[in-house]
Amino acid sequence: MAGRESDHRSHTDGAAFGRMWRWLSWEASAIGRSARRAAAGPGPERDVVTQSLKAAGAAAAAWALAGWWWNAPMALMAPWTAVVLVQSTVYRSLRSGVQQLVVIALGTVLAAGAANLTGNTMAAMALVLPVAVLLGNYARFGEHGLYAPTTALFVLAYGSYSALDVLHRLFESAVGAVIGIAVNALILPPVHLRSVRDSLRRLPSQSAELLHAIADGLREGYGRQQAEAWHDRARRITGILSDLRDARLWTRESYRLNPGRKMRRTGPALPPTEWDQAWERIADPLVALTRSLTSTVSGEPMLRPLPDAALAHLSDLLRAAGDVCAADLAVLEGGDRGRSAREARALALESAWAAHGRLKRQLLEQDSETATSLGGLVAESQQLLYELAPVESDVGAYGDRDSG
């Protein structure tokens, strides 16, 4: 009995170790890919590296000034403040700087007052920490509210709560804030256009890849697992739309109070937000279409499987729709390739509509159950083609021309 329990524990421990090892391998691979992308060229990964190095440099400069040159009694407040204020936008650095200085001032004054009132560090902590934590949860302070109780702890632990000590804490924090904000604003001030461009490219690229994959699967034969994978990929496209909305907001914010905006190199223009909205409408029928395909295959399908002739026409339709999305990617890139892609886009869309007509005619040859499953796909593919039509726009005529 004990031996079986021991074997069971060994098996469980081995399985847990295997999962842990796979997770570590996946994490290591992801870090390696990010490192290679950062080294290969501009992009979000390189932006993260740049901001990290700026934060480290700001902290070192703050320590050199407050700790090494000035020899301040609690010099760590300067680099501590500086590293936090190298934020993702210059505007956010300024706003965070004000929030953090207010929070640090409150924590310092509360701790000094409690210590002078009680004359005992333990009693002062018991008195001030509940108040400081409550202040830290005040929504106006955002993520910087945490610094109210931590500053109070620093002040009480160091035993530095005279009037002169309080002024030192505030001055050290102000020095760090000035250095952090200055580094972020004057050294490669961040602009998030690259994040917008990355999401804009991923939408037509991944949509084209998915539509071509489905078209090949319909020709070669597919099962439930493959159909579910298509549906999962379609839903991930809606996640790219969410990333794009966030990137647009970050880009607008990164222009506020940014002294480096006018120094940015010009690059391809961004399409307007109407382009994003068009892709939102494209994603919906794509998700619905893949859901219907999933419903036609399983041990007990909810919808009757499609006949081979209908699958062939649907494959032609989705292949052409994928070509339309691939052309949209070329149009987005602009230049000579974009101009030639417009003609290819028009031909692909025409081919898709022709295949849709052939698919629709298949409805007349089916029994009621098959017509039900085919009718849903006809309607969803028709909506997809209607939504694809207006995406063709002169993206070069729109948007900011800062490359970011």
Side-chain angles (χ1 to χ4, degrees), residues 80-103:
W80 183 44
T81 305
V83 73
V84 172
L85 294 185
V86 180
Q87 295 279 320
S88 48
T89 67
V90 175
Y91 166 76
R92 197 165 289 257
S93 287
L94 288 166
R95 189 184 71 181
S96 296
V98 173
Q99 290 174 327
Q100 188 163 346
L101 287 175
V102 170
V103 169

Side-chain angles (χ1 to χ4, degrees), residues 163-393:
L164 183 60
D165 290 331
V166 169
L167 289 176
H168 266 294
R169 298 299 83 72
L170 299 180
F171 184 70
E172 291 152 6
S173 300
V175 167
V178 169
I179 291 175
I181 293 169
V183 166
N184 203 36
L186 301 178
I187 301 176
L188 299 175
V191 174
H192 294 269
L193 275 173
R194 274 199 289 266
S195 297
V196 177
R197 297 189 196 287
D198 179 64
S199 295
L200 286 171
R201 293 186 184 106
R202 286 165 62 203
L203 281 169
S205 174
Q206 293 194 18
S207 297
E209 290 174 5
L210 173 58
L211 287 165
H212 287 158
I214 298 173
D216 291 340
L218 296 179
R219 287 281 186 183
E220 298 166 2
Y222 67 101
R224 185 172 183 82
Q225 186 175 3
Q226 191 174 7
E228 287 176 345
W230 295 337
H231 185 52
D232 185 58
R233 289 174 64 179
R235 287 186 297 176
R236 286 204 296 269
I237 289 172
T238 63
I240 300 174
L241 287 163
S242 179
D243 293 342
L244 177 56
R245 285 191 292 271
D246 291 342
R248 293 270 195 188
L249 291 173
W250 278 109
T251 298
R252 285 195 290 270
E253 183 181 298
S254 65
Y255 281 150
R256 298 176 68 179
L257 307 175
N258 191 333
R261 177 180 180 182
K262 299 301 182 183
M263 296 185 289
R264 292 281 172 169
R265 299 185 303 273
T266 58
L270 296 178
T273 54
E274 287 78 11
W275 201 89
D276 310 357
Q277 294 162 7
W279 275 96
E280 287 182 11
R281 295 191 298 270
I282 289 169
D284 288 339
L286 193 52
V287 170
L289 191 147
T290 54
R291 185 189 300 114
S292 294
L293 286 173
T294 302
S295 299
T296 62
V297 285
S298 68
E300 296 180 1
M302 291 179 285
L303 296 173
R304 179 168 293 181
L306 301 177
D308 290 342
L311 287 174
H313 296 319
L314 183 59
S315 174
D316 293 340
L317 188 161
L318 297 181
R319 166 68 58 183
D323 293 342
V324 173
C325 295
D328 280 333
L329 178 60
V331 171
L332 186 65
E333 298 291 348
D336 294 336
R337 183 167 174 252
R339 284 188 287 273
S340 62
R342 295 178 189 281
E343 297 178 4
R345 187 189 197 282
L347 291 173
L349 192 59
E350 182 179 349
S351 177
W353 276 114
H356 183 268
R358 295 194 297 272
L359 182 65
K360 189 185 293 187
R361 286 192 289 274
Q362 285 286 314
L363 281 170
L364 302 176
E365 304 173 9
Q366 311 303 325
D367 58 79
S368 60
E369 288 298 321
T370 306
T372 298
S373 57
L374 179 58
L377 289 166
V378 167
E380 288 150 5
S381 59
Q382 179 170 312
Q383 184 181 357
L384 174 66
L385 296 182
Y386 270 121
E387 298 299 351
L388 278 172
V391 173
E392 184 184 12
S393 60

